[in-house]
Amino acid sequence: GGMLAAAALLVLLAAGPGRADTGRDTLREELLLSPLPAGDVAATFQFRTRWDADLQRGAVSHYRLFPKALGRLVAALGVRELHLALTQGFWRTRTWGQPPLQAPAGAELWVWFQPTVTDVDKAWKELSNILSGIFCASLNFIDSTNTVTPTASFKPLGLANGTDHHLLRYAVLPREVVCTENLTPWKKLLPCGSKAGLAVLLKAERLFHSSYHSQAVHIRPVCRDASCLAVSWELRQTLTVVFDTFSSGQGKKDWSLFKMFSRTLTDACPLASESKVYVDISPKNKEKELLEVTPAPTSVLEAVVQGDKRTYAAYDLLSPSLFNTSRSLNVQLKWKRPQDSSELPTPILHAHRYVSGYGLQTGEISTLVYNTHPYRAFPVVLLETVPWYLRLYVHTLTIITKGKENKPSYIHYQPAQDRRRPHLLEMLIQLPANSVTKITIQFERALLKWTEYPPDPNHGFYISSSVLSALVPSVIAMKDVDVEQSPLFTSLFPSSDGSSYFVRLYTEPLLVNLPTPDFSMPYNVICLTCTVVAVCYGSFYNLLTRTFHMEEPSRGGLAKRLANVIRKFRGVPPL
Amino acid sequence: VVEGLALLDLGISPYSGAVFHETPLIIYLFHFVIEYAELVFMITDVLTAIALYLAIQDFNKVVFKKQKLLIELDKYAPDVAELIRTPMEMHYIPLKVALVYLLNPYTVMSCVAKSTCAINNTVLAFFILATIKGSALLSAVFLALATYQSLYPLTLFAPALLYLLQRQFIPIKLKSKSFWLYTMQYAALYLCSLVVIICLSFFLLNSWDFIPSVYGFILSVPDLTPNIGLFWYFFAEMFEHFSLFFVCVFQINVFFYTIPLAIKLKEHPVFFMFVQLAIISIFKSYPTVGDIALYMAFLPVWSHLYRFLRNIFILSCVLIACSFLFPVLWHLWIYAGSANSNFYYAITLTFNIGQILLISDYFYAFLRREYYLTHGLHLTRQDGTEAMLVLK
């Protein structure tokens, strides 16, 4: 009796502090299938792990759903917000519509540090190296030559008190390639791994056979509840993939989970509190639906997402009725009538960037920003990061809207320093309604040292995408819905009122050629140049140290004597 | 410079980037005259030509006086009558100098390109004028301005000092007190003006940023944009390990000929100045054709050396051919893409060899004439046959 009581007391004592130490953590997984105008389909996965513990303050040692690698990283380096995206391909805004969450081609990392961090650059370097190890990506190439500190873009997305932009660092590696090696550690961070729930669909051989693949990790602090007295940490892992009609779909526009992923869903992740599949069945142009989904969804819900009223067919994997008829769920989408290309919806804000010029000396970067809203004007923040070896000339910066010059209301320009930091140009430009704005700036190409060229120097050098951030006025007013309940991504970007939504767009990365020296010639060049200097030195040495003398008559050298002997034989007078 | 002004307008220090490397006084000057830039450059070229004209006019008088003195002192050999210079032949030399400077295609190119080298040339021309007129103060001030803009005119301190000493009839002996006194005076004037100019620049922009941007840039050669000099390709192809060593070697190379030339040419400081200007133009870290135009303007002054020049025909052909090939091969490398950097580099090498040999040819001719003046024109050996001169 006494032994039993003692054992119970021990268990209670052990369990008590344990439970107070680890906060409650929840996992919600969602998959959104949205058909795109040209017959392609975009699949977006989102895994949200939310942990009611304060990573910064307490020394948490018991990790359950939140991955230990990331938790320790946040605690040790004083990270307030972390956003890492690895993308292959480019989201074509004009044909596919506004993206839910876009990322630039390559690797993008931006981090807000806590105000307690004293040496932000050192913490940034350590962070990029650790992330490079966790995700098997070459993030260790992030250094001062591609890191910038933006002042107006990239405001914190989580809780923030005070925004000193010196705590922000942003870097893009446009040349980075995403492959299976990056997907595997990303999947390992999920609580269920790739064994249960929605993550079983993430098979590398199908995911990388696509037009666009983007995987991202977002860590940020959020309010624990409405009163916001305590802080929780949210980890979002998102993966967006666009399957092409022709390469993946064999030319037919009917899609199914099995066709896209070569897998079907069998159950929900046991650790998840919510596991849903959404299919966007919004009718275009207010006509009846053009998409048919089988099997029948558990519910149909309507939401206003990105200023548009959308209808979603939702499948709740945790509801017992879903797996009654069959053991696996294979959502099938069939087009009811053929897609008309004239129905392409133009997104309100889209941009296009290109480089012009000829020859290897100069060039011009032009960015075209389109505002297709019929009557509303809104400002957009443009952030451009150009590597130091393309020397920008800010006096050639021109912004022209509808034929007239458009002066930006805010310019922050930080010129590059050779081999130390890149150019940073941030501007706040007002876009009038229904207009095209052209921003051009000229640059000169530098000649680099032969060791600074990448292995294939004639491939060119990448300029990372420029970032456009704007609060786009929405056509339909958005109600103040509970952000936790609405599907996907509307909760990542905070919106102050329902009349506009936040959009972050990326333009195309550019490829620019630089003049190259001849790489096979270092020794030759050194010898030839030193020869020229030696010619000068030699002539001057002779002229400075020698004086004129009359020449002594000499009998002649060996050659002369030999010549005289031959001449004697010929009978010719000697030299 | 336009970029620097634009950065100033945006409120950023023009030296925070890597594009602007001119001195604050230039920015201050152009802040007012940027609208009339073409006119400004034309005026600077004309001023340079006028300064050179007046300088050479005065120099001719000095030369003639010195020649007369040496003839009276019987320093010359008896049969050198054809080597003696007459006022008639020297009459048109200043005009020729000014015309050679103004009509030189290099000057025209430099003016059209609106290169700040033209301003450098004007300051140097005024420095030469002030030195030849004998005003130590003005000479020190202009030399300080020239050094402030690009570091290399520091080496012109020695020829200027030698000329002024000669003009004051102070003999150049290391033990002489008056020699050291005058040297100290001139050096003090020069250093004070330099300090004043640098402090003025500091107060113009309120920072010392310009020092690493202007002088650090000249000395450490970080920008490898192709030019007509030897440095760019050399450092583009340099092994990283030796980079610092070779930068030091190349910079020392410019300054290092001053002392030996001063010892050899102490009687002829203006020729020393010419040779030093040429060495600066060839070996400075970012040479331009404007620098070449300046020392070429002096060639008519030594036209009496023509009979002793050995390779003048080949060298002028080399220089003219290279000048024509430079833009062709640049176009082929950068725009047409059918040549590569080696072609342009080869022309750089040839052009610089041409310039070096031109200068050493003139130097040889000068020394040879001096020898003939003191030893006679028709040299005979003991047995009466004609003798040859060699350098031993």
Side-chain angles (χ1 to χ4, degrees):
Chain A
M3 281 279 280
L4 208 60
L9 194 64
L10 219 65
V11 165
L12 271 175
L13 278 173
R19 206 175 303 134
D21 193 22
T22 62
R24 198 175 57 99
D25 47 11
T26 51
L27 166 70
R28 293 150 70 163
E29 46 179 32
E30 290 149 331
L31 164 61
L32 170 66
L33 299 171
S34 21
L36 299 173
D40 308 329
V41 66
T44 317
F45 293 82
Q46 183 176 255
F47 301 90
R48 272 187 282 181
T49 307
R50 193 205 156 118
W51 193 17
D52 295 334
D54 197 352
L55 278 172
Q56 294 299 128
R57 224 159 295 150
V60 280
S61 54
H62 184 76
Y63 289 84
R64 206 178 131 240
L65 294 179
F66 200 94
K68 184 170 178 180
L70 295 179
R72 288 192 39 179
L73 187 68
V74 167
L77 290 175
V79 167
R80 191 167 74 195
E81 260 188 53
L82 184 144
H83 302 270
L84 168 67
L86 295 164
T87 313
Q88 186 183 8
F90 181 68
W91 182 277
R92 295 173 204 142
T93 314
R94 213 181 299 209
T95 47
W96 293 345
Q98 209 97 50
L101 190 65
Q102 195 185 4
E108 183 204 35
L109 175 66
W110 60 281
V111 174
W112 275 94
F113 287 94
Q114 299 280 355
T116 54
V117 174
T118 44
D119 192 348
V120 180
D121 291 314
K122 187 154 154 290
W124 170 253
K125 187 98 184 109
E126 267 188 59
L127 178 69
S128 48
N129 279 311
I130 295 176
L131 285 173
S132 159
I134 295 177
F135 290 99
C136 293
S138 336
L139 299 174
N140 52 329
F141 283 125
I142 292 179
D143 56 11
S144 65
T145 60
N146 44 30
T147 308
V148 289
T149 306
T151 53
S153 321
F154 296 106
K155 294 290 180 210
L157 295 174
L159 282 183
N161 44 352
T163 51
D164 177 12
H165 67 267
H166 292 113
L167 298 169
L168 168 65
R169 292 287 184 273
Y170 173 76
V172 176
L173 294 171
R175 219 183 156 111
E176 189 65 23
V177 170
V178 184
C179 58
T180 318
E181 255 181 20
N182 307 118
L183 181 65
T184 316
W186 188 90
K187 281 196 293 191
K188 272 205 209 151
L189 294 173
L190 297 169
C192 281
S194 49
K195 296 192 176 52
L198 293 175
V200 296
L201 296 175
L202 300 173
K203 290 298 162 197
E205 67 266 12
R206 299 299 301 173
L207 284 181
F208 289 102
H209 197 62
S210 56
S211 319
Y212 176 81
H213 172 100
S214 171
Q215 63 196 55
V217 170
H218 304 275
I219 303 177
R220 60 176 184 158
V222 292
C223 287
R224 200 169 290 189
D225 47 25
S227 60
C228 213
L229 290 167
V231 160
S232 297
W233 284 86
E234 183 191 74
L235 164 69
R236 255 181 224 244
Q237 288 180 259
T238 63
L239 192 142
T240 310
V241 63
V242 173
F243 291 103
D244 193 74
T245 327
F246 295 103
S247 54
S248 319
Q250 291 113 33
K252 287 196 277 236
K253 292 201 184 107
D254 296 330
W255 293 102
S256 70
L257 281 182
F258 188 76
K259 196 168 171 193
M260 291 193 277
F261 301 106
S262 69
R263 290 281 189 288
T264 54
L265 293 167
T266 47
D267 57 358
C269 174
L271 299 166
S273 59
E274 201 180 287
S275 181
K276 287 198 176 143
V277 176
Y278 297 94
V279 182
D280 188 349
I281 53 173
S282 315
K284 305 282 187 289
N285 297 338
K286 298 182 181 52
E287 290 179 10
K288 62 180 179 72
E289 300 161 2
L290 53 102
L291 202 61
E292 187 189 306
V293 284
T294 48
T298 36
S299 59
V300 174
L301 69 101
E302 284 191 0
V304 179
V305 169
Q306 287 183 337
D308 247 349
K309 199 188 262 281
R310 307 246 179 110
T311 316
Y312 293 100
Y315 295 84
D316 192 347
L317 290 171
L318 288 173
S319 83
S321 60
L322 194 63
F323 293 108
N324 271 349
T325 42
S326 62
R327 279 198 41 213
S328 70
L329 172 66
N330 185 15
V331 178
Q332 287 172 331
L333 296 89
K334 274 203 199 31
W335 296 97
K336 277 201 190 146
R337 56 184 180 79
Q339 182 76 4
D340 218 347
S341 60
S342 63
E343 291 173 16
L344 291 175
T346 10
I348 293 180
L349 174 70
H350 61 276
H352 174 50
R353 189 172 72 150
Y354 57 93
V355 72
S356 52
Y358 64 95
L360 293 175
Q361 193 179 9
T362 52
E364 192 179 65
I365 300 179
S366 309
T367 313
L368 293 169
V369 184
Y370 297 86
N371 174 8
T372 56
H373 201 284
Y375 50 86
R376 290 282 298 274
F378 55 90
V380 69
V381 177
L382 172 70
L383 170 78
E384 281 224 34
T385 311
V386 177
W388 64 266
Y389 38 82
L390 299 172
R391 302 179 205 272
L392 290 183
Y393 284 99
V394 80
H395 71 273
T396 57
L397 175 68
T398 51
I399 307 175
I400 299 194
T401 310
K402 288 185 182 168
K404 285 194 309 234
E405 201 187 316
N406 182 357
K407 213 164 139 51
S409 30
Y410 170 75
I411 290 191
H412 172 71
Y413 176 62
Q414 197 184 50
Q417 279 180 346
D418 275 8
R419 300 180 179 90
R420 262 183 288 167
R421 64 166 196 232
H423 294 278
L424 172 67
L425 178 62
E426 267 187 288
M427 295 187 287
L428 178 67
I429 304 170
Q430 190 74 15
L431 301 177
N434 213 10
S435 64
V436 179
T437 306
K438 184 167 179 182
I439 302 148
T440 55
I441 189 165
Q442 286 176 4
F443 62 88
E444 221 178 51
R445 303 173 208 224
L447 184 71
L448 303 178
K449 298 189 183 167
W450 69 304
T451 48
E452 290 172 345
Y453 286 87
D456 184 6
N458 291 305
H459 177 71
F461 288 78
Y462 285 97
I463 308 178
S464 51
S465 317
S466 44
V467 188
L468 292 150
S469 322
L471 275 174
V472 178
S474 48
V475 178
I476 301 173
M478 298 196 295
K479 295 193 298 277
D480 215 3
V481 261
D482 183 13
V483 284
E484 286 302 310
Q485 297 306 114
S486 72
L488 299 180
F489 314 114
T490 49
S491 52
L492 186 58
F493 296 116
S495 66
S496 47
D497 53 33
S499 64
S500 58
Y501 58 96
F502 182 78
V503 154
R504 185 172 285 139
L505 277 187
Y506 295 89
T507 59
E508 296 90 333
L510 301 172
L511 191 59
V512 162
N513 265 320
L514 290 183
T516 55
D518 189 348
F519 297 98
S520 58
M521 294 243 312
Y523 183 66
N524 303 3
V525 167
I526 296 175
C527 283
L528 288 170
T529 311
C530 290
T531 306
V532 171
V533 176
V535 162
C536 175
Y537 177 78
S539 336
F540 273 87
Y541 179 81
N542 272 346
L543 291 166
L544 289 169
T545 52
R546 297 184 183 194
T547 48
F548 284 100
H549 293 283
M550 279 202 272
E551 193 183 357
E552 299 298 314
S554 61
R555 279 277 325 278
L558 180 65
K560 202 167 170 184
R561 269 183 277 176
L562 210 59
N564 280 340
V565 164
I566 297 175
R567 278 180 167 232
K568 205 154 70 171
F569 276 128
R570 282 168 61 195
V572 173
L575 285 168
Chain B
V1 175
V2 181
E3 180 69 9
L5 285 173
L7 284 172
L8 259 188
D9 283 338
L10 279 179
I12 309 167
S13 159
Y15 299 107
S16 54
V19 174
F20 182 69
H21 297 284
E22 286 287 342
T23 53
L25 281 182
I26 293 275
I27 260 207
Y28 196 66
L29 172 71
F30 276 98
H31 197 58
F32 298 111
V33 299
I34 192 69
E35 313 288 315
Y36 317 104
E38 289 99 3
L39 207 59
V40 166
F41 283 103
M42 286 199 285
I43 291 176
T44 51
D45 275 344
V46 167
L47 281 176
T48 314
I50 293 175
L52 288 175
Y53 179 87
L54 295 169
I56 299 301
Q57 224 178 25
D58 241 9
F59 175 60
N60 278 348
K61 291 196 195 115
V62 169
V63 161
F64 196 61
K65 240 190 282 185
K66 190 164 161 200
Q67 195 173 248
K68 217 159 110 171
L69 182 70
L70 287 172
I71 290 178
E72 276 166 20
L73 289 177
D74 231 357
K75 288 283 173 88
Y76 287 164
D79 56 349
V80 294
E82 52 193 65
L83 289 182
I84 303 286
R85 308 179 67 189
T86 59
M88 260 214 342
E89 85 176 71
M90 304 207 300
H91 183 63
Y92 281 110
I93 287 181
L95 189 63
K96 280 191 215 168
V97 165
L99 282 178
V100 164
Y101 183 75
L102 283 177
L103 297 177
N104 195 346
Y106 294 142
T107 319
V108 175
M109 277 199 275
S110 176
C111 182
V112 167
K114 292 186 240 174
S115 156
T116 49
C117 181
I119 300 180
N120 273 12
N121 285 0
T122 311
V123 174
L124 279 171
F126 275 111
F127 155 70
I128 294 174
L129 176 62
T131 311
I132 292 185
K133 289 268 189 201
S135 153
L137 172 66
L138 278 178
S139 161
V141 167
F142 281 116
L143 186 63
L145 265 178
T147 311
Y148 162 74
Q149 268 207 300
S150 67
L151 210 47
Y152 299 105
L154 176 64
T155 53
L156 293 172
F157 180 82
L161 180 65
L162 286 172
Y163 185 84
L164 290 167
L165 283 172
Q166 234 186 34
R167 206 185 155 91
Q168 306 276 3
F169 302 110
I170 300 172
I172 303 165
K173 286 194 225 310
L174 280 178
K175 300 209 183 55
S176 146
K177 217 167 72 128
S178 51
F179 165 72
W180 284 112
L181 193 66
Y182 196 82
T183 312
M184 288 298 132
Q185 273 181 337
Y186 189 62
L189 279 172
Y190 171 65
L191 287 170
C192 285
S193 3
L194 196 58
V195 165
V196 164
I197 295 172
I198 290 187
C199 290
L200 190 65
S201 317
F202 171 70
F203 287 119
L204 272 178
L205 284 176
N206 278 327
S207 72
W208 294 109
D209 274 350
F210 72 96
I211 291 188
S213 266
V214 179
Y215 305 117
F217 180 74
I218 293 178
L219 288 175
S220 64
V221 198
D223 183 355
L224 299 172
T225 315
N227 49 50
I228 59 170
L230 300 161
F231 276 70
W232 61 277
Y233 206 52
F234 189 75
F235 290 112
E237 299 269 13
M238 173 57 61
F239 302 105
E240 268 311 304
H241 190 59
F242 296 110
S243 174
L244 182 62
F245 171 68
F246 276 104
V247 166
C248 295
V249 165
F250 269 66
Q251 298 295 352
I252 290 174
N253 188 44
V254 184
F255 293 99
F256 141 93
Y257 291 103
T258 311
I259 307 283
L261 278 173
I263 296 172
K264 182 85 180 182
L265 289 173
K266 58 178 182 275
E267 304 296 321
H268 314 282
V270 179
F271 189 75
F272 176 19
M273 208 180 292
F274 164 71
V275 173
Q276 193 62 66
L277 268 178
I279 288 177
I280 293 175
S281 312
I282 298 170
F283 291 113
K284 70 191 288 197
S285 39
Y286 293 101
T288 61
V289 291
D291 302 314
I292 300 175
L294 183 66
Y295 82 76
M296 277 197 178
F298 282 96
L299 293 180
V301 182
W302 323 113
S303 50
H304 59 279
L305 298 174
Y306 180 73
R307 56 185 288 179
F308 300 113
L309 293 171
R310 290 180 296 176
N311 305 317
I312 191 66
F313 176 66
I314 291 186
L315 290 175
S316 31
C317 287
V318 163
L319 289 176
I320 292 175
C322 287
S323 312
F324 280 115
L325 281 175
F326 262 124
V328 170
L329 291 171
W330 172 256
H331 179 88
L332 280 181
W333 174 27
I334 298 286
Y335 293 101
S338 48
N340 71 5
S341 49
N342 290 337
F343 292 70
Y344 185 78
Y345 170 64
I347 295 300
T348 310
L349 283 180
T350 327
F351 188 70
N352 282 302
I353 290 238
Q355 283 186 72
I356 290 170
L357 291 177
L358 180 76
I359 301 305
S360 56
D361 213 15
Y362 266 92
F363 196 7
Y364 174 85
F366 190 84
L367 291 176
R368 193 161 168 154
R369 180 176 171 269
E370 293 301 310
Y371 183 82
Y372 278 141
L373 279 177
T374 47
H375 290 90
L377 197 52
H378 303 288
L379 302 164
T380 52
R381 276 181 251 167
Q382 285 99 346
D383 51 2
T385 53
E386 196 170 332
M388 294 263 294
L389 268 193
V390 290
L391 276 177
K392 272 220 213 295

